[in-house]
Structure formats: C-alpha cells, structure tokens
Amino acid sequence: MQSPICDMLGCEFPLVAFSHCRDVVAAVSNAGGFGVLGAVGHSPETLDVELSWIDDHVNGKPYGIDLLVPTSMDSKSEALAADELERRIPPQHKQYVLNLLAQYNIPTDDLYRETPRGGVGDNMREKGASIVLDAAFAHPIKLVANALGVPPTFMLERGKREGVPVAALCGAREHAIKHAEAGVDILVVSGTEAGGHCGEVSTMVLIPEVLQSIEPYGEIPVLAAGGIATGRQMAAVMAMGAHGAWTGSVWLTTAEAETAPAVKEKFLAASSRQTVRSRSRTGKYTRQLRSPWTDAWHADEAPDPLPMPLQQLISEPALGKIARLAETGHPGAKQLTTYFVGQAVGLMNQVQSARQVVYDFMEDFLEATERLNAFVDDDAA
C-alpha cells in the first residue's frame, strides 16, 4: 500500500498489532502487518529470549517493541526501595482490597505478606528502560513505541542513532503537540475507546483534531487507535487522514493469544458497553472489562486510587491471585477477574488465528474503499 507507515516500517499493510504474546507478533508480521511486542514487563534477559524467538519465526519480516515510560509518575526520577514504596501505601487501601476479596470467598492471608521486591517500576524509568532498549537493539527491531507520555530524550536519541522510528501514543490534542515538538517520528492517536491507558476523546473526533494541530510541524505519520477491530474501521480513520491503524484489543481473542481462558471467555461474550475507564488497576485511567473489581473502586465508599506505581502494588497481587483462581473454576474469582480491553470487545465474537484476522482486515478494508469510491460520481472523479 502507498502509506508512509509501510515505507517507514517495511510492512505491506499499515496495520500495527500490539501484543504481549510473541506468537501474535510473529503471525501478524508474517501476514503482512506489523507486530509490536509489549516489553515493559521484561528484563533484558527475558526480552532477548522473546525477540530471539520472533527473529527465528518472522523470516526477516519487520516488528517492533513497546515500552511504557510515563512523563509523570510517583517518584519518577529514581526507583524507590521496596520498603519505601511499601510505606507510601495507606493501610486502608490494602484493607479495602482484602475486604473485597473476602466477599467473594478468596483467601487473603498471603496476599500482602511479603514486601514487594526491589526494582518495582524500573522499566518505567530511564535507567531500566535504557537497559531494556540495549537488549532490544541487539535485534533487528524496526520501531520503538512509548505508550504513555512524551518519549524521553534518551529514547528519541537512541532511535535516531539506530535509524529506527520512535512512536508515541497520545489521547489529547495537547499531548500530540508535545510529541511533535519533541521530534517523535510517528504519532499513535488513541481515542477513549481504546483498551489500556486512554484519554477522554473519541477516535472520530480526536484524529482530525490532532491532524489539524500538528500541521505546523511538518509531515508526521499518524496511526489511529481506539475501537478499531475491522478493516472498514481502518478505512474510516484513513479516510479522515490517518496513515494506518494501531490495534491491541482485537488480538486478545485470537487463537495464539496468551489471554487467560476465563478472561477470553468473558471477552467473547461481552458487548461494547461492558468496559469501563478506571484508575483501579494502575493509578492512571485505563479501559478494562467491567467486573465487581472495577465496580468496587467506583463505589462511594472506595478510597481514591493511588498514583502510579503505588496502585499497582495493591492491585496486581490481588488481580494476579484472582486470575489464577479463576482458571481453577473458583466462582468468586471468575466474577472478579478482568483485564485491559477496549470497546471493540463487542466485535470480538469468535476465536480466529492472528493471520486470519489480518486477512479479514485486508478484505474488509478493500470492500470499504470500494464502497467509498462508489459514492463518487465517475464524471466528477
């Protein structure tokens, strides 16, 4: 396709797939799209293992990585010692979680018994992220994306030295301008429909607003994100001026995805109205599947979620235990379990291979563009 995204990334079709699953990344790249591996949870060693596997399975096709280095974070400059992080967590927040789990007959005796180990949030700060980048650039990656905030200077400079584009996600016009001023190569403009961290403005409104606002900064390719699960939606955002699509949720119900079976079952049955934008998981707003867990944090008696990364220190141990018990069939855990997903979940109704999803995108995109062309009078064209 004639898109600057294809030229910059070396892919055939400007469909970018974000996933934590290496199998999905490889399958999408092999099918002509562009797979991006979520790297924030990896150490340099585990990332090397994952990227080596991808190298062996993509036959030279391009792929990239995604990190999460927030512009603002609680004590963002240096990673705090584990015991210092622990002291910053108000006791009432832990107790609120313990009481919630007890209501669903989930044992909590061991939930917060140990102090979190050192290194919490390291990959979300410069030192840890730099080391992970070193590991990533030992492989032929073709993109580095920052998922939250303006990419730090070291990331932008490293991308330029390596000849690898740096992308950044944004959910508001003012964020896009900051990215453009910083020299980002690709903007991922994400509407509130998106899963994970997201803003408040819909994709339909945000794409043209951002495109208009970045005109003074020259030609910056834009990937549209948020609620995109079909080729016709991809054609729609490209008709508005985007150069391709960034997708995440749609891959969570693929055959290759590592999504927990209990969560995947919920996704397949969910409607687009069964997601919620909540700070209950990370401390920043993320869209996730609604469950009694998210409902509890929106109740009048709920404590205000803590800033990142403190909220994660109380939520992730609980949600991890909930997820494990849900896979054993525990009734309470199956009700509580949740995960990041966008409003496109209502379109994710069957399990397919990642390769087939790419092909469906391509076919649907072509049909949509043909429909658009049919509206144009031949003489006028």
Side-chain angles (χ1 to χ4, degrees):
M1 284 185 61
Q2 312 247 340
S3 166
I5 294 297
C6 294
D7 295 337
M8 292 178 76
L9 303 183
C11 56
E12 300 167 27
F13 187 60
L15 175 64
V16 178
F18 167 81
S19 177
H20 292 287
C21 176
R22 65 188 189 184
D23 299 81
V24 171
V25 170
V28 171
S29 289
N30 280 322
F34 187 89
V36 175
L37 182 72
V40 70
H42 283 289
S43 68
E45 293 76 20
T46 61
L47 183 61
D48 180 65
V49 170
E50 295 296 281
L51 297 187
S52 293
W53 186 93
I54 292 172
D55 290 339
D56 290 341
H57 289 80
V58 295
N59 304 307
K61 296 290 181 68
Y63 67 89
I65 67 160
D66 177 280
L67 285 169
L68 196 160
V69 188
T71 303
S72 61
M73 185 165 128
D74 185 62
S75 191
K76 62 182 179 180
S77 58
E78 293 294 336
L80 295 173
D83 57 349
E84 188 174 348
L85 281 168
E86 181 72 11
R87 284 194 296 271
R88 291 188 173 209
I89 300 173
Q92 62 265 31
H93 282 71
K94 284 187 177 181
Q95 192 59 52
Y96 190 73
V97 172
L98 296 175
N99 292 344
L100 174 60
L101 268 59
Q103 292 176 38
Y104 289 84
N105 299 313
I106 294 176
T108 59
D109 293 346
D110 60 344
L111 194 60
Y112 299 122
R113 184 172 296 171
E114 293 185 5
T115 299
R117 296 183 178 181
V120 175
D122 274 1
N123 287 0
M124 297 165 67
R125 298 180 172 90
E126 179 171 346
K127 182 178 179 182
S130 294
I131 297 172
V132 170
L133 276 182
D134 287 339
F137 277 114
H139 299 267
I141 60 171
K142 300 301 181 184
L143 177 74
V144 175
N146 191 47
L148 195 62
V150 177
T153 301
F154 77 87
M155 188 181 292
L156 291 165
E157 291 178 347
R158 183 68 182 271
K160 283 184 172 51
R161 287 202 308 272
E162 302 283 351
V164 171
V166 175
L169 277 72
C170 61
R173 172 185 175 276
E174 57 270 25
H175 299 157
I177 292 172
K178 289 180 180 178
H179 290 327
E181 290 174 342
V184 164
D185 299 298
I186 297 172
L187 280 176
V188 181
V189 181
S190 181
T192 192
E193 300 94 326
H197 291 100
C198 62
E200 303 172 78
V201 184
S202 75
T203 305
M204 180 67 74
V205 172
L206 188 61
I207 298 300
E209 185 178 41
V210 166
L211 286 168
Q212 184 181 61
S213 68
I214 64 172
E215 284 180 358
Y217 299 93
E219 294 291 330
I220 304 175
V222 165
L223 288 166
I228 300 171
T230 66
R232 71 193 67 182
Q233 291 171 299
M234 182 177 175
V237 293
M238 292 180 71
M240 288 194 292
H243 302 96
W246 174 286
T247 54
S249 296
V250 69
W251 311 104
L252 294 171
T253 51
T254 58
E256 296 90 341
E258 294 179 339
T259 311
V263 173
K264 186 180 285 190
E265 182 180 341
K266 280 189 165 185
F267 285 168
L268 292 168
S271 74
S272 58
R273 298 179 66 188
Q274 290 174 281
T275 70
V276 63
R277 190 169 168 267
S278 172
R279 293 173 55 216
S280 63
R281 188 153 194 152
T282 72
K284 292 183 181 289
Y285 281 106
T286 64
R287 187 171 295 283
Q288 52 198 288
L289 192 69
R290 183 179 177 184
S291 84
W293 168 273
T294 59
D295 288 348
W297 284 95
H298 286 258
D300 291 340
E301 67 274 16
D304 191 41
L306 301 169
M308 181 184 280
L310 300 180
Q311 183 68 18
Q312 292 165 286
L313 296 179
I314 61 169
S315 67
E316 291 304 333
L319 290 168
K321 183 163 191 175
I322 288 167
R324 291 190 295 273
L325 287 176
E327 295 314 308
T328 70
H330 187 290
K334 289 181 73 173
Q335 292 181 66
L336 284 169
T337 195
T338 179
Y339 194 64
F340 306 112
V341 74
Q343 290 179 325
V345 70
L347 295 167
M348 295 153 48
N349 309 126
Q350 61 180 324
V351 177
Q352 293 181 292
S353 70
R355 175 181 290 272
Q356 188 59 50
V357 172
V358 176
Y359 291 161
D360 286 350
F361 258 88
M362 292 176 174
E363 182 177 356
D364 200 34
F365 178 90
L366 288 173
E367 290 177 358
T369 55
E370 288 172 1
R371 282 194 298 272
L372 282 174
N373 288 332
F375 285 108
V376 180
D377 183 83
D378 289 339
D379 293 334

